[in-house]
Amino acid sequence: QVQLVESGGGLVQAGGSLRLSCAVSGRTSSMYAMGWFRQAPGKERELVSAVTWGDGRFYYADSVKGRYTISSDNAKNTVYLQMNSLRPEDTAVYYCATSSNWPPLRVGYWGQGTQVSVSA
């Protein structure tokens, strides 16, 4: 069974940075891409960024473009999300997920999420 474990969340002041990681274990043959989603209080879960494992295709939501960078380390089966110039509106629970296709993402497995809180 596939397991995804997020880490790196925390509390940061506006303008600060955080680096999230998502470690993946288990069967990975159907994993074509990985995505980072976030869900703020009272909001729908939204796709923030995504990357393909093999050929390095990237996606960024307009709200984070230029501030976030997604990357992957295939040897470690780990995906990262570097978040810079954080804003209070970035506050959310961030989830990583596997996807069997691109585009659109078809989520197969979710991580449990990691809280990111940005103070003004």
Side-chain angles (χ1 to χ4, degrees):
Q1 186 156 299
V2 173
Q3 182 177 353
L4 295 82
V5 179
E6 301 100 332
S7 62
L11 176 64
V12 65
Q13 292 183 327
S17 299
L18 287 172
R19 188 192 189 206
L20 307 183
S21 64
C22 176
V24 184
S25 62
R27 50 186 174 85
T28 60
S29 60
S30 64
M31 299 179 192
Y32 182 69
M34 298 290 295
W36 282 100
F37 295 76
R38 69 184 181 187
Q39 188 165 22
K43 300 284 189 177
E44 293 289 307
R45 189 171 298 186
E46 63 176 341
L47 177 64
V48 174
S49 186
V51 62
T52 57
W53 285 109
D55 55 7
R57 303 180 198 177
F58 301 99
Y59 166 82
Y60 296 97
D62 288 343
S63 59
V64 307
K65 195 171 297 182
R67 300 187 297 119
Y68 289 15
T69 303
I70 192 169
S71 62
S72 63
D73 185 335
N74 291 7
K76 296 182 178 180
N77 291 323
T78 301
V79 177
Y80 305 93
L81 187 67
Q82 179 67 45
M83 306 183 294
N84 299 325
S85 302
L86 284 164
R87 306 163 179 169
E89 53 264 41
D90 295 318
T91 295
V93 178
Y94 283 70
Y95 302 87
C96 65
T98 67
S99 178
S100 60
N101 66 298
W102 175 295
L105 296 188
R106 183 184 299 132
V107 173
Y109 299 91
W110 293 98
Q112 291 300 305
T114 185
Q115 176 71 49
V116 172
S117 298
V118 184
S119 61

